[in-house]
Each structure stands twice: as C-alpha cells, then as structure tokens.
Amino acid sequence: MIPTITAFKASPDGGKGMARDMPVRWAFEEVNQPYKVRLVTFDEMKQTPHLSLQPFGQIPTYEEGNLVLFESGAIVHHIARSHKGLLPGDVEAGARAVSWMFSAMSTIEPPILDFETAGYFERDKNWYDERKLMLKDRIRFRLDRLSTRLGNKDWLEGKFSAGDLMMITVLRRLKNSGLLEEYMNLFEYVSRGEARPAFRRAFSAQLEVFKESQKEI
Ligand code: GTB
C-alpha cells in the first residue's frame, strides 16, 4: 500500500524546503518508497478531519491502511524501521542512530526554534538585540559539541542514517543565520546531505507544490 502524507498547500517557507514534510519526503526517497501527498490549507488543518489525524492541527501526517501517524520524527522512524537503508541492522548501531534522531529534535532544535521565534515575535522589543546574542550563544553551545563529535567524519555514525537525516533537517534551519558558517565541518555536513540524490528529489517535489501554489495567487 502506498502511504499518504500531508503537506502545506501553500507553504510559508517560500519553497525552501523548511516545512516538516521535507524530512518525511527525504526518508521516502532514501528508501525508494513511493508516496502520495494530500495538500491541506491552514483552515483545513484546524478542522475535524485533519485534527483526527494530527491532534494539534499540523502537518505532516502519515496514513497507511489503518495506521495513522503524526510527528515528523516518529514518521521518519517508522519509515526507517520498515525499510532497509536508514537504520543499521545491528541493534546497538540502530539504537545509536535513533539517539541522534532524538538529539536533533530535543537537544539541537529547541534553541534554534527559540532563536527563530524571537526573530518573528520579539524583533520590535528594545531588548531584542541583547536577547538575540544570548540565543545565538545557546545555539553555539550545542553546535560546539556537535561539531567536535562529528569531527572529520562524513556522517555521525559511519554510514548515513535516519540520525543524519533528522540532524541535517534541523541544522538547515540555521541557513541565513551565519551560525552554520562558523563550523565548517557542520556546514559541509549539511551540504553533503543536501547533495544526496534522495534529498534533491524530495526538495524538487516540495518545490513543485510551492510553484503551483504561486500560480493560484
Ligand atoms: N513536532 C511536529 C512535527 O515534527 O511533526 C511539529 C509540526 C509542525 O510544526 N508543523 C508545522 C505546522 O503545521 C509546519 S512545519 N504549523 C501550523 C500550525 O502549527 O498551525 C514548521 C514550519 C513552518 C514554516 C516554516 N517556514 O516558513 O520556514 C518552517 C517550518
């Protein structure tokens, strides 16, 4: 059965592949699993049919037969567990890859989200510049350690895994902040991920949706 995911009908990210259907599309492409996409508007996301799939009225969701999933990390994990290629077969190596998935979303991403959110909602406050410096330092605190751990390796645990997929997805949010450029190995790590054919296919697919949405405006 071909799984169906949901994505923004008109993504506010300007086609940059920042919305969270992107890691799910990328995972599908890595394991060569065809998938369908149902596009939803902001209004539809907040109505009962979608809320019964995603309790918080967000994208992405995943449907396959009776299985309904939400949370991009959980969906990528499910795809990785059900196909070969994104999680090492060895139990311990697989668990290490999952540790990186969790750390991407629960250790690296929160200070990045705080920084983004401040940019959206606090820019006009007289304390914004000071807060921005503090938030950037909190991100650096994490990137320092991540950069040290990655060192000169291509991927976090030898072979590319779902851990790298989620980590690169999160680090991509730092584009245009200047922070990634401070860590050349992390900058190159993200570029390496984005150069993967599976990433390129996923990116093009979401970009097509964005271009279509622009035609309708
Ligand atoms: N923890 C959930 C997951 O990982 O699946 C979070 C899902 C989530 O945040 N979804 C967002 C959403 O549906 C879209 S991706 N938001 C609508 C709402 O909450 O009402 C987040 C996103 C949106 C826009 C940009 N952008 O414009 O750059 C980037 C990321």
Side-chain angles (χ1 to χ4, degrees):
M1 183 172 287
I2 298 189
T4 299
I5 63 166
T6 49
F8 281 131
K9 185 160 191 185
S11 180
D13 72 353
K16 295 194 179 71
M18 293 296 172
R20 293 181 195 249
D21 54 302
M22 187 58 203
V24 176
R25 291 173 183 272
W26 186 7
F28 278 136
E29 294 291 349
E30 287 286 348
V31 300
N32 291 312
Q33 167 66 54
Y35 62 100
K36 295 182 195 159
V37 182
R38 189 171 62 251
L39 302 175
V40 287
T41 63
F42 274 94
D43 275 356
E44 286 164 347
M45 285 159 62
K46 305 301 173 198
Q47 286 163 23
T48 308
H50 188 79
L51 286 171
S52 65
L53 306 176
Q54 216 291 6
F56 311 108
Q58 298 180 313
I59 59 99
T61 57
Y62 174 106
E63 292 157 79
E64 186 186 10
N66 292 328
L67 178 64
V68 176
L69 297 174
F70 58 97
E71 285 295 335
S72 53
I75 297 171
V76 168
H77 185 234
H78 173 70
I79 297 168
R81 268 170 35 110
S82 344
H83 300 78
K84 281 199 166 64
L86 278 176
L87 280 181
D90 173 73
V91 173
E92 291 183 8
R96 280 194 293 275
V98 172
S99 296
W100 285 116
M101 291 183 71
F102 274 85
S103 84
M105 305 207 71
S106 63
T107 302
I108 305 290
E109 189 170 61
I112 296 176
L113 287 185
D114 286 347
F115 176 66
E116 270 181 14
T117 308
Y120 290 134
F121 299 113
E122 295 167 359
R123 198 171 278 275
D124 57 340
K125 307 285 187 223
N126 58 11
W127 37 260
Y128 174 67
D129 286 344
E130 207 177 328
R131 176 157 162 76
K132 192 168 95 174
L133 291 178
M134 187 217 36
L135 291 173
K136 276 190 150 185
D137 275 346
R138 278 174 48 197
I139 297 172
R140 286 190 186 98
F141 183 68
R142 296 299 187 208
L143 296 188
D144 281 347
R145 303 305 316 151
L146 182 64
S147 170
T148 301
R149 178 58 89 96
L150 179 66
N152 59 11
K153 299 194 295 289
D154 277 357
W155 310 115
L156 287 163
E157 293 286 339
K159 208 168 160 250
F160 180 82
S161 78
D164 297 296
L165 189 153
M166 291 310 296
M167 191 62 81
I168 290 166
T169 295
V170 166
L171 293 176
R172 289 186 72 243
R173 296 187 87 122
L174 290 173
K175 277 172 179 274
N176 303 325
S177 70
L179 280 162
L180 216 43
E181 289 78 356
E182 293 179 20
Y183 301 86
M184 206 32 71
N185 68 338
L186 294 182
F187 181 85
E188 288 169 356
Y189 173 59
V190 171
S191 304
R192 224 169 2 257
E194 291 176 333
R196 291 178 72 82
F199 178 93
R200 302 302 324 156
R201 290 195 295 274
F203 187 89
S204 301
Q206 69 78 34
L207 184 58
E208 273 315 303
V209 174
F210 177 72
K211 285 182 183 163
E212 278 303 310
S213 73
Q214 294 306 97
K215 284 184 198 162
E216 288 165 27
I217 291 172

